[in-house]
Amino acid sequence: MGAVVGTLSLQTRQRRPSRDRVCDDLELSVVCHRPEALDLLEAQSNFNRKELQVLYRGFKNECPSGVVNEETFKQIYSQFFPHGDASTYAHYLFNAFDSSQSGSIKFEDFVTALSILLRGTTTEKLQWTFNLYDINKDGYINKEEMTDIVKAIYDMMGRFTYPAMKTDTTRQHVDAFFQKMDKNRDGVVTLDEFILSCQEDENIMRSLQLFENVI
């Protein structure tokens, strides 16, 4: 989850709203997509008006059209992992952000996901992460999906991966994941099993709190 939140919030945290008039709320210019009204986004998220303005300026700076397609998302995300190949993990992450499966991420999608990851409840954060790992969206995490996720993370980290990637490293990680998460040993991990197992792990619980005040 650290890779998700840390990279996606880095560019927004350094921007500050200008002192210009904000009567146009989100400083909207002529773009291909106009976000929902600021008041509505504030009501639907865990961000206040000022924070949403900061987020929008960062989003608009990277995506002047107001929407992000998958290729652009991959290009932006890969900048944070110059020594690896982040394309596969970025693909999974893009699908998690694109909750409507429209093929693009709008500012509303960005705010919704970031609101959960930074300010959501523990359950909301774990539900979002489960959805990221549930690649085929059937409500379960199977070993094939977890293998794909682990491989994608190792590819993304590149030569800085620790421990170093070995032939059986991915399988060991996946086996350890299922040993911990698959409570009834039926070969898949449900949302309830995932949440329960994560709540029992102090390291995971601590990691969920790391980025709460990042903006």
Side-chain angles (χ1 to χ4, degrees):
M1 181 172 288
V4 174
V5 180
T7 55
L8 290 171
S9 58
L10 181 60
Q11 297 200 4
T12 58
R13 69 182 296 191
Q14 295 179 344
R15 292 183 169 84
R16 297 291 183 270
S18 67
R19 295 180 181 273
D20 298 336
R21 293 180 60 191
V22 292
C23 58
D24 58 352
D25 284 345
L26 288 171
E27 198 186 51
L28 299 179
S29 60
V30 179
V31 294
C32 296
H33 173 75
R34 291 178 64 88
E36 296 174 356
L38 181 60
D39 290 341
L40 182 58
L41 286 176
E42 185 175 5
Q44 293 176 341
S45 73
N46 297 312
F47 298 121
N48 60 37
R49 189 183 191 87
K50 183 176 181 180
E51 290 168 333
L52 286 168
Q53 289 170 339
V54 174
L55 286 171
Y56 186 73
R57 288 186 175 94
F59 186 87
K60 181 180 158 187
N61 182 67
E62 295 293 342
C63 317
S65 68
V67 296
V68 186
N69 61 30
E70 183 170 343
E71 190 58 36
T72 300
F73 183 84
K74 287 180 178 180
Q75 291 173 2
I76 295 172
Y77 197 74
S78 65
Q79 295 174 18
F80 298 97
F81 301 94
H83 301 287
D85 179 2
S87 60
T88 302
Y89 190 80
H91 167 71
Y92 298 141
L93 197 57
F94 178 88
N95 287 339
F97 270 74
D98 180 19
S99 57
S100 63
Q101 302 301 300
S102 65
S104 63
I105 298 174
K106 301 182 288 293
F107 181 63
E108 295 91 334
D109 300 321
F110 179 71
V111 167
T112 297
L114 213 59
S115 175
I116 292 172
L117 292 171
L118 297 183
R119 306 280 175 80
T121 65
T122 296
T123 298
E124 289 172 336
K125 292 176 182 178
L126 293 175
Q127 287 173 332
W128 196 94
T129 306
F130 180 90
N131 183 61
L132 170 65
Y133 294 165
D134 178 18
I135 297 174
N136 65 7
K137 310 307 178 194
D138 66 350
Y140 304 93
I141 300 174
N142 59 43
K143 287 192 174 184
E144 181 179 353
E145 289 172 321
M146 202 62 224
T147 298
D148 290 343
I149 290 291
V150 172
K151 285 182 178 178
I153 292 174
Y154 269 101
D155 289 344
M156 178 174 64
M157 299 307 296
R159 64 187 180 88
F160 289 102
T161 301
Y162 181 84
M165 184 69 166
K166 298 179 181 178
T167 304
D168 60 347
T169 300
T170 298
R171 180 179 58 79
Q172 290 175 353
H173 276 292
V174 173
D175 288 346
F177 176 89
F178 273 82
Q179 180 66 30
K180 182 183 187 64
M181 302 277 182
D182 185 11
K183 300 293 188 181
N184 63 0
R185 301 293 182 258
D186 64 350
V188 295
V189 175
T190 65
L191 176 60
D192 288 342
E193 288 176 322
F194 182 79
I195 291 177
L196 177 61
S197 299
C198 290
Q199 289 176 335
E200 293 172 345
D201 190 309
E202 292 183 3
N203 290 327
I204 293 176
M205 287 296 96
R206 280 196 296 268
S207 73
L208 293 178
Q209 313 303 322
L210 289 177
F211 298 97
E212 287 188 349
N213 298 310
V214 74
I215 294 179

